[in-house]
Amino acid sequence: MAPVLILMGSQSDWPVMQHAAKMLKDLGVEWRAEVVSAHRTPDLLKSSMEQAEKDGVPVVIAGAGGAAHLPGMLAAYTAIPVLGVPVPSKQLKGLDSLLSIVQMPKGVAVGTLAIGQAGAANAGLLAAQIVGTTNAKVRESIQAFRTAQRDKVMNGPKLELPDA
Ligand code: RP5
């Protein structure tokens, strides 16, 4: 299977989007990342989706900030599932990115994650779950991740609550 494709509107998005890549790596899913901008490189946006279709890319993760049109425009050009990550913006802290990505018109879908690093990590996790629908090894990695996460909570320090 072709690697999961991580696209972002600018090199400046990488400090956030690297968390998607890390999650995929931790779960044993191959990925590759590129900068493609809906506004600065619109032709590249279209051709990148044509190539992704030819390559058999299973899922696209797209991060962008501000007027974050990248995920929606990618989704307009492909039937590959697109997961959108709102990258925090300088002026509005990513609320603009979130609303730009989440408010898709009926008929073209983007799965929108939370703003920032947690959203990027969860995009990686969700992409791995999509890959896992046809890959037992990835499903096992996700199960092991969840078990480790649960154990960390269960074995962590006990809360000391004041008497009621
Ligand atoms: C968006 O504009 C990018 O996704 C980025 O979040 C934001 C700022 O880009 P730069 O000016 O840092 O390249 O398109």
Side-chain angles (χ1 to χ4, degrees):
M1 185 182 277
V4 169
L5 185 55
I6 302 174
L7 298 179
M8 65 210 87
S10 168
Q11 177 79 44
S12 67
D13 296 327
W14 181 241
V16 170
M17 296 311 294
Q18 66 178 334
H19 293 272
K22 182 177 185 316
M23 180 63 80
L24 288 166
K25 183 166 179 267
D26 289 350
L27 295 171
V29 178
E30 284 187 56
W31 60 272
R32 68 186 175 85
E34 285 171 19
V35 173
V36 175
S37 167
H39 307 112
R40 293 167 178 157
T41 65
D43 295 342
L44 178 62
L45 184 158
K46 183 169 183 271
S47 62
S48 73
M49 285 304 91
E50 288 164 355
Q51 192 59 49
E53 297 260 0
K54 283 185 198 144
D55 293 345
V57 168
V59 47
V60 175
I61 297 172
H69 297 143
L70 179 65
M73 286 306 297
L74 293 171
Y77 280 116
T78 185
I80 300 168
V82 176
L83 305 177
V85 179
V87 173
S89 53
K90 281 192 198 114
Q91 307 300 337
L92 299 176
K93 303 192 186 325
L95 187 57
D96 45 355
S97 326
L98 172 66
L99 296 178
S100 291
I101 294 173
V102 79
Q103 290 290 23
M104 288 297 292
K106 183 180 178 185
V108 182
V110 168
T112 307
L113 283 298
I115 298 170
Q117 291 183 8
N122 274 352
L125 179 57
L126 203 48
Q129 288 177 239
I130 291 169
V131 170
T133 60
T134 55
N135 184 321
K137 212 168 156 217
V138 171
R139 278 202 302 281
E140 282 168 24
S141 298
I142 292 165
Q143 194 51 57
F145 168 80
R146 289 195 164 184
T147 301
Q149 184 170 240
R150 183 201 62 202
D151 289 350
K152 203 171 159 194
V153 174
M154 299 299 283
N155 301 327
K158 296 279 175 274
L159 282 178
E160 290 188 21
L161 299 173
D163 292 336

